[in-house]
Each structure stands twice: as C-alpha cells, then as structure tokens.
Amino acid sequence: MALLLYRLGKFSYRHRWLVISLWLAVLVAVGGSAAAFHGTMSNNFQIPGTETQQMLDKLKKDLPASSGGSAGIVFEAGDAGFNQAGRDAIASALAQLEKLPDVQSTVNPFTTQAALDKAPSDLAAGEQKAAAGQAELDKARATLDAGDAQVKAAEQQMTAAGVPAAQIQAQLAPQKAELLTGRQKLDDGQKQATDGAAALALAKRQLTASQGMRFVSEDGKAAIAQVQFKTSINGLTPAVRQQVQDIVHGVSSAGVTALASKEITEDVSQLFGVSEVIGIAVAAIALIVMLGTLVAAGLPLLMAIIGVAVGVGGTFALTGVIDMSSISPMLALMLGLAVGIDYSLFIVNRHRGQLLSGMDAEESVALATGTSGNAVLFAGLTVVIALAALVVPGLPFLAVMGLSAAATVAVAVVVSLTLTPAVLSLVGRKLISKRAWAKAERHNAEPDHASADRAEDQRRSSRGWGGLVTRHPVVALLAGVMLLGVLALPASQLRLALPDGGSEPVDSQAFKAYDLTRTSFGEGMTGPIVVVGTFPDGLGDQQAKAKQFDVADKLRSVDNVVAAVPVALSPDHRTAVFQVIPKDGPASASTVQVVSELRAKGSEIQQATGATIGLTGQTAGNIDVSAKLGAALPPYLAIVVGLSLILLLLVFRSIVVPLLATGGFLLSLAAAFGAVVAVYQWGWLGTVFDVANPGAVLSFLPIILIGVLFGLAMDYQVFITSGMRESFMHGENAKQAVRSGFSHASAVVTAAAIIMVSVFAGFIFSHLTMVRPLGFAMAFGVLVDAFVVRMTIVPAVMYLLGEKAWWLPRWLSRILPDVDVEGAKLQRTTAAGGAKELVH
C-alpha cells in the first residue's frame, strides 16, 4: 500500500492541473446536485415496526384528521390578564392559521376553557332539570295510576249492578283511551329522561376526565392553543414554520405575546453558525503556530473545506430522496472538518520536514504520501468502518447518519491523498518561511550534520513530556488512570432521552414557551402522550362514548397521570384517540415510567372493557427511540472493540498494543460519558456551557460517540505508536524507541488534537441545541484520549513493558500480512536510491 500511495503522490505532483480540474468538476457537480435535488431535513427519529409507528399508521387509515402532528402556542398577557381585544386578536390569528394548507384545525383556548368552566354549572343545571322532569313524570305516573284505579273501581261497581259488559266497555272506553294516551306519553317522557340521564352521566364522566386540564391559566395571564397539522411535525417546511410564527406574533398589536413551541420554531435548514466559525479560526491559529506560514496553515484548511463541500454537499443532495435528520449533515460537517484538517496536516508536516532536510520537492511529496499518507489511509479507514457500523443496530435514521459521516470522512482521505500533493506542487518553497529556509540551509551545510541530528534527536527525546512520562512511568500510568476513572464516575447515572423545549437556550422562543407552559399549566402539558384505542365492532354511539370513558378512567389510574381525555372517535366507533397528560415533562424519568405503566395497563383494559390500546405521538416515540438506542449500545460497543483489536493486531503485529489501545479507548469513552452527564444531566458548569435546564442526555449521543471516538482514538494510536515501532524496527532498543517515536510524533499529534478539539468545541454553542452535547462529548473525548491516553498512558506502559510490548506468537506472525502502515520499507527503499526503479 505504501508503494501504491508513493506512486499516487508522484502522479498527483506531476499532473497537478489534471487532479485540481477533476476536483473542481466534482465540486461543481455536487454543488449543482445539492441545489437542484435537495429536500427538507427533519428530526424524525421514528423506528419502523415499533408500536408508536404502528399506531400512527392506524390513525392515518382510520382517523386521518388526528394523524398529523400537533404543537402548542402559548399566549401571555400583562398583569391585568387578557382583555377582549387580546382575546379577539388570538381568535383572529387562530382563524388565519386554519386557512393554511398545512393546518388541520386549531383549539381556541378561551372558548375551550369557557366550556370547561361552564361544564360544572351546566351539569348541575342539567341534573336539576332532570330531577324536576323526573318529578313531573312521577306525578303524571301517579295521576295515571289513580285514573286506572278509578276505571277499575267503576267497572267493578257496574258489573256488580248487573250492567251488561258491552255497555260497560262502551261507557268506559273514552276514559281508557285517555289513560292509554297518557301512558304512552309517560313512556316517551321516561325514555327521554333515561336518555338524558345517560347523557348527563357521560357529561359527568367528561368533566371528571377533564379535571387537571386547563387552557387558560388560573391567574388569567397565560393561554395555550393547540394547532393540529395535516402532516407530521417533522414534515413541515421552514417556510410553513415561519408563516405560523408570523401569524401568531401578530397578536402583539393587542398587547399579547405569542410564543411558539420547539416543534414549530425548530429550523433544521441552517447548518453553520458563528460558533462553528470560531472553532475553525482557533484551528487556523494552531496551524499557523505549528507550520509557521499562512500558506502552510491555509493548505490543510482548504483541503478540509473542499472535502466537506463534497461530502456534506452530496449528503444534502440526497435529502430529496432520503428521510434525513438535521444532525446527519451536522455530524458529517464536524467530522469532515476535523479529520480533513488533520489528515492533510500529517502529510504537509512530513513534506515540510523532508524539504528542510534537503530532499527534492517531488520526491518529498511522493514519500510523504507513501508514509504519512499510508497512516492517514489506515486511520481514515478505522473512522469510516466505525461510522459505517452504525447500520448494525438496524435504526434507519442512525444508519443514514453513520453512512453520510463515513462518506464525508472517506472523501477527506481521498482529498488528502490526491489533492494535497497536487497543491503542494504549486506551493513549492512558499510552504516554508524564509527564516526557516535559511536556518535549514546553514544546518545542512555543516559537516556531519546527520550524526549531530541523531544526537540531538536522542537528547530531545529524553526531555519534554515524553521524557517526563518515561522517567516516571508508574506515576504517569497511575495518575492517568485515576484521572480518567474519576471523570468517568458520573457515567453510571447516564439517562437517555431526546431533547425537549427545556434544553433550548434560555433566550430562545422555544424555551420561553416551554417555561411558560410549565409554570402556568404544568410540565406535562409540554409533551402529552397519545393513546389509540381499538373498540369491539357493533357499538352504538352511546356505547362507544361510554367505552371511551371506561378506558380513560383506567388510563387516569396510572401514577403521575394528571388527566386522560378522549379527543376523537372514528365514524365506525372502532378507533378512539385519548390524550394523556403526565405530571412531568416528556424527557423526565417519571414520564418514561408513565409510558411503561400505560403499556402494562393494556391487558387490564382489554379484560375490563374489551378495548385494546397502543401509544403513539412525539413523547412515546422519543421514549421508544431512546430505549432502542440504549439496547443497541452494548452490541455496537462489542463490535467496535472487537474491530479495534483485529485492526491494531494487523497493523502493529503485537498482542499488547491492540489491548492497550482498546483499553485506553474504553477509558476515554467512560470519561467522556462522565463529563457529559456532569454538564448536561447534572448541570455542572451550566452557565459556562449554556445549560439552563439540565436533563437527560441525547439518546443517540453514546452510540455516535463510540463510533467517532473509536476512529479518532485509533488515528492518534497509529501516529504515536507507528513512530515507536519504526524506531524499534530500525534497531533502537525498545525503551529508547518509545522516547524517539514519541518525540517525532508528539508535535503533530498535539497540533492535530488541538485542531480537532477546536473544531468540535465550535459546535458546543451551535444554533441546533441537539448538536451541542455531541460537540462537547467529541471535544472532551478527543482531549482526554489524545493527551491522557495516547500521550501519557500509552508511552508509560510501552516503556515499562520494553520488548514485551512487541511480542507476537510465531504462528500468528506467519498468518498476519505485513501492512507496513508507517511506510518503513518504502523509506528504506527510497533511501537506498531505488525511487526511480519504484516509479518505472
């Protein structure tokens, strides 16, 4: 592979304009495709085959009007409450919303609350009227009974007096006809009274079911309206979301503030913000400090931007045909920038060093591509495999996320191996400052400078961080492990969920809507649970309505359920929809328990009522996704760990190095999880990281972090340990090889880690709050993995083990191919003057 990459580097150097033209053509093609074929991104994390998806499909078939997504809009008045002008403005805004093509219906909070407030008095009046009516019926019945008695007495008297029967019947017929008519009227009245009593009973049950629900706050200062859409919330375009907000914000003219919930305000169409630019600026500064010139620093940045433009542009172009979450291109963007800069940096830095040592420019580019480029290829391959393995859990949105990020990283690798050599041929000597050139020329002119360089390398390797670690390896090892162990302690409390409005920035409309809803109506109103019931066939209207309340009573008996209200019934009386309001918010642990208990209640409900139930809606769906992701975590981790062992065994031809690398990765991972829990779940340093409302951790953060951190950790393992192995293979003793290898790789790995941490940290304050904990986790994970694991624990253990670190059974050595990832064989060949022979 090193030989192939050597030739590729030389080809790119010699045919620079062809390579550059090809990449420009690719950029134009991808850009045109993205502009022409892009679709709408969403944050739809539904999983096919789950109960929530099955119930949603059932609603689309049986009750289409209730199958779309719903969202809340909270209105806030001043201390005096809502005046008539404010109520009229809200009613007008809701009426305008109903005219939008994407809106199914709206719920006016004032008319609904008025009906709820009036219901007790209406029920009392109805019961009083029913009682009076029943009293009149009882009085009429008594009168009819008395009339019947009189007719019977008259008939007996006339019979006793010997009056003929025909004469008796003829004489009493008018009275009997009148009594029969009265009896029929009484029966009709009693039937109406019975129906009325049944309706009152249903109204009473409706009132009971609605207790705990309000649409206008008790202090009269807040009101919440519901908007039902024809499509899912995730299917709404940014234009529709903005149109809804523009309409409701029009109530400000009446002195009312309108706050739309997160479901409406969330705009996933924008990928890049100010914080991300700051992260890239910090990376650029690190490059300038390390490489010394703007040209040298700008080259890795340019390569990364081109790689990201192709990778993310291609991902964006596919949004027209693939349901893609907003975090998919964001993850591709984060990784593409970070690895794109790092991979080009490794090649540029190797080429720069070789130029300063006096090597020919063309030969230097080819050799840098064959050596550092070989390590880049393997490092990129580990990241691609780890990300592509996200298809294993079988979650569609996660698979799309992993494949899009893997494709972007693959593009970054290809850019580094082809476009970087081509651009280096154009840059020439401008890569190095005049001062550095002059110093190098003076040094190269000195006699026997090679021996002096070797002596200086040996002295330098015993100083600095590498020298300190290897002088005190036991202390360094224990300190590193203890530090990571302490950082990992909070990870045992990790709780997963998808974010709600409470995770948004405190100055955002979404958070204000969430906070006002929580304080005015209870936290459960921010995320109601939708229950779909299937009733037996053949029920009449009254029977079906009674059945609804029977089911609602059972649902309301679950702990931490504030209200359970029937909201819709299909025309055939077979499908019913209920809205269950939990006590706490949708991402809380108690709401997760409520969902679990509601499902467990299903068998009891079926036995008692004959109805079956299933849960759907955003809250239940998010909980299902989090549970599925949590279940997929252990097998995915096992796959990644197993993969790392195999790959590192192949690369380093050692038993110890793969175990050490994998153990270090697990330590870094645990520490990253612990830090995420401390900041985003417990709220530590919340003011620093803008975590105003700590809660559960993003449910797919762990599985993505495993894949990404594994790949990046193996990057640094390759660059640190390959130098040690190269020194060892060139004849140095094992302990000195650890120092030499560390000394040669530490500067570029330090710069690469700083760059990667800077890029990831730029996403900690992203406009998409879902991305923030992911950016933090990656930045922190890379930070501790690079500086604590790869640059402290690994050299300490390698130094302590000495030659045992490179032990490999002979039978296994014969089986394993020698991939020569550090390109040592290629270097020896070219150093011996065989470069021309290799090319020709």
Side-chain angles (χ1 to χ4, degrees):
M1 183 57 69
L3 174 59
L4 180 63
L5 292 177
Y6 174 88
R7 289 173 172 171
L8 178 62
K10 184 154 287 194
F11 175 87
S12 298
Y13 187 95
R14 290 178 175 177
H15 303 88
R16 49 187 173 271
W17 291 116
L18 173 62
V19 174
I20 293 171
S21 299
L22 288 174
W23 276 111
L24 286 176
V26 170
L27 271 176
V28 172
V30 169
S33 299
F37 305 120
H38 73 87
T40 301
M41 290 181 295
S42 69
N43 278 333
N44 180 16
F45 302 115
Q46 293 295 326
I47 303 174
T50 59
E51 178 186 287
T52 51
Q53 189 62 47
Q54 292 170 354
M55 291 299 102
L56 183 60
D57 294 340
K58 178 179 174 62
L59 282 181
K60 288 179 180 177
K61 178 182 176 183
D62 298 342
L63 266 172
S66 299
S67 64
S70 63
I73 299 173
V74 194
F75 299 95
E76 185 177 22
D79 293 336
F82 293 97
N83 55 28
Q84 190 58 47
R87 294 169 183 252
D88 291 343
I90 292 172
S92 175
L94 294 178
Q96 290 182 60
L97 286 182
E98 289 190 344
K99 296 177 181 178
L100 296 179
D102 293 272
V103 175
Q104 179 72 39
S105 61
T106 62
V107 176
N108 188 309
F110 299 107
T111 56
T112 306
Q113 188 62 53
L116 288 175
D117 292 341
K118 191 181 177 185
S121 59
D122 286 348
L123 181 63
E127 289 176 337
Q128 185 177 2
K129 184 178 179 181
Q134 188 61 51
E136 291 181 4
L137 289 172
D138 292 342
K139 182 179 179 181
R141 183 177 289 107
T143 302
L144 288 172
D145 290 343
D148 283 339
Q150 290 176 359
V151 169
K152 287 180 181 178
E155 188 173 12
Q156 288 174 357
Q157 289 176 1
M158 293 174 73
T159 301
V163 177
Q167 185 177 349
I168 293 174
Q169 291 298 326
Q171 189 171 347
L172 294 179
Q175 290 91 329
K176 286 185 175 182
E178 185 178 351
L179 287 172
L180 181 60
T181 302
R183 186 70 65 182
Q184 289 176 343
K185 289 182 179 180
L186 178 63
D187 290 342
D188 290 341
Q190 188 61 58
K191 184 177 183 304
Q192 291 178 0
T194 302
D195 292 343
L200 284 173
L202 290 176
K204 190 172 184 178
R205 297 186 75 180
Q206 174 75 49
L207 181 62
T208 302
S210 301
Q211 286 179 351
M213 286 190 75
R214 291 194 64 85
F215 293 86
V216 178
S217 62
E218 292 184 357
D219 61 7
K221 297 178 182 178
I224 184 168
Q226 292 291 329
V227 181
Q228 181 83 29
F229 295 94
K230 294 180 180 178
T231 61
S232 68
I233 289 293
N234 297 310
L236 296 177
T237 64
V240 172
R241 296 173 187 271
Q242 189 59 53
Q243 195 172 11
V244 170
Q245 293 176 66
D246 290 342
I247 290 174
V248 298
H249 288 161
V251 300
S252 60
S253 60
V256 176
T257 301
L259 299 169
S261 64
K262 175 178 179 287
E263 291 79 12
I264 295 174
T265 60
E266 188 175 51
D267 181 7
V268 297
S269 61
Q270 184 183 354
L271 295 182
F272 222 65
V274 175
S275 60
E276 291 88 341
V277 175
I278 294 174
I280 294 175
V282 174
I285 293 171
L287 285 169
I288 293 170
V289 170
M290 179 183 180
L291 298 176
T293 67
L294 291 175
V295 172
L299 200 148
L301 283 173
L302 178 63
M303 297 301 100
I305 291 170
I306 291 173
V308 162
V310 173
V312 177
T315 299
F316 197 60
L318 293 175
T319 56
V321 293
I322 298 175
D323 187 12
M324 189 177 295
S325 67
S326 62
I327 204 168
S328 295
M330 288 296 285
L331 179 62
L333 180 65
M334 276 193 285
L335 286 176
L337 283 172
V339 302
I341 294 172
D342 278 3
Y343 292 167
S344 293
L345 171 62
F346 290 131
I347 295 174
V348 170
N349 187 64
R350 184 68 171 250
H351 171 58
R352 181 176 177 274
Q354 291 170 169
L355 284 180
L356 289 173
S357 67
M359 187 177 291
D360 173 70
E362 180 178 332
E363 182 64 20
S364 176
V365 168
L367 189 59
T369 307
T371 52
S372 292
N374 199 20
V376 163
L377 179 63
F378 174 79
L381 183 63
T382 61
V383 180
V384 168
I385 292 174
L387 290 170
L390 288 172
V391 303
V392 172
L395 309 178
F397 72 89
L398 193 64
V400 171
M401 199 179 300
L403 291 175
S404 62
T408 303
V409 172
V411 171
V413 171
V414 178
V415 167
S416 299
L417 297 176
T418 58
L419 188 58
T420 300
V423 176
L424 283 173
S425 71
L426 291 177
V427 172
R429 293 174 62 92
K430 294 178 182 177
L431 188 70
I432 301 170
S433 66
K434 293 180 179 179
R435 180 181 298 177
W437 269 121
K439 182 178 179 182
E441 288 172 352
R442 286 195 302 269
H443 177 73
N444 293 335
E446 294 174 359
D448 198 22
H449 67 84
S451 299
D453 287 345
R454 285 192 295 271
E456 178 60 29
D457 282 346
Q458 191 165 357
R459 285 195 300 272
R460 188 167 55 237
S461 66
S462 63
R463 297 195 298 266
W465 183 252
L468 179 64
V469 167
T470 51
R471 281 197 300 273
H472 309 284
V474 175
V475 174
L477 174 61
L478 292 177
V481 172
M482 288 179 62
L483 173 62
L484 294 180
V486 171
L487 289 172
L489 288 176
S492 62
Q493 304 298 315
L494 179 68
R495 187 168 61 83
L496 304 178
L498 286 172
D500 55 24
S503 63
E504 297 294 307
V506 292
D507 58 346
S508 68
Q509 182 182 183
F511 180 84
K512 291 176 181 177
Y514 177 91
D515 192 49
L516 182 60
T517 302
R518 174 177 57 184
T519 55
S520 300
F521 304 99
E523 198 165 5
M525 283 291 282
T526 63
I529 302 166
V530 179
V531 178
V532 181
T534 303
F535 290 171
D537 197 9
L539 295 179
D541 188 58
Q542 292 291 331
Q543 291 174 310
K545 289 181 179 179
K547 188 79 68 178
Q548 281 182 289
F549 291 116
D550 291 340
V551 173
D553 290 343
K554 294 290 185 182
L555 297 175
R556 198 164 50 257
S557 67
V558 172
D559 290 340
N560 291 318
V561 169
V562 174
V565 185
V567 293
L569 183 64
S570 64
D572 62 0
H573 300 152
R574 292 293 312 278
T575 303
V577 180
F578 305 84
Q579 192 174 71
V580 176
I581 308 298
K583 178 183 177 183
D584 298 314
S588 67
S590 69
T591 300
V592 174
Q593 185 63 28
V594 165
V595 168
S596 177
E597 291 183 13
L598 286 172
R599 285 175 169 150
K601 203 84 171 176
S603 58
E604 179 186 331
I605 291 174
Q606 187 172 14
Q607 291 177 359
T609 67
T612 59
I613 65 165
L615 274 59
T616 189
Q618 197 78 19
T619 299
N622 289 354
I623 291 171
D624 283 352
V625 169
S626 299
K628 287 280 187 181
L629 287 167
L633 204 56
Y636 180 72
L637 181 59
I639 290 170
V640 169
V641 169
L643 182 65
S644 70
L645 289 172
I646 295 171
L647 286 174
L648 292 175
L649 181 66
L650 183 67
V651 171
F652 293 112
R653 304 179 66 80
S654 161
I655 296 294
V656 173
V657 172
L659 293 174
L660 177 60
T662 303
F665 159 66
L666 293 176
L667 281 173
S668 301
L669 185 67
F673 282 159
V676 169
V677 169
V679 173
Y680 290 91
Q681 192 172 312
W682 294 354
W684 292 7
L685 300 177
T687 53
V688 175
F689 295 103
D690 195 18
V691 183
N693 192 32
V697 173
L698 184 67
S699 56
F700 48 79
L701 182 148
I703 201 165
I704 291 177
L705 182 61
I706 288 171
V708 172
L709 189 58
F710 160 69
L712 301 181
M714 294 310 104
D715 280 4
Y716 298 132
Q717 182 72 29
V718 168
F719 289 114
I720 284 286
T721 317
S722 62
M724 298 177 185
R725 184 171 187 267
E726 184 177 352
S727 297
F728 179 68
M729 297 301 290
H730 284 175
E732 291 187 6
N733 68 68
K735 294 196 173 188
Q736 180 58 38
V738 171
R739 287 182 170 179
S740 298
F742 183 91
S743 177
H744 291 151
S746 59
V748 69
V749 170
T750 298
I754 291 173
I755 288 165
M756 199 165 282
V757 169
S758 300
V759 172
F760 288 151
F763 290 84
I764 293 176
F765 301 97
S766 171
H767 65 290
L768 288 178
T769 53
M770 192 180 298
V771 175
R772 294 183 175 193
L774 195 56
F776 174 86
M778 290 184 186
F780 190 85
V782 168
L783 183 69
V784 297
D785 189 86
F787 294 106
V788 180
V789 174
R790 308 303 154 191
M791 299 181 71
T792 303
I793 294 176
V794 167
V797 174
M798 297 283 287
Y799 191 85
L800 286 171
L801 291 175
E803 291 189 7
K804 294 177 182 178
W806 304 108
W807 175 78
L808 184 70
R810 290 183 179 179
W811 64 268
L812 187 56
S813 179
R814 289 193 298 269
I815 296 172
L816 291 177
D818 188 358
V819 297
D820 188 28
V821 71
E822 69 277 2
K825 292 179 181 178
L826 177 63
Q827 284 182 280
R828 289 195 296 269
T829 304
T830 54
K836 292 183 179 179
E837 183 181 344
L838 283 169
V839 176
H840 299 292

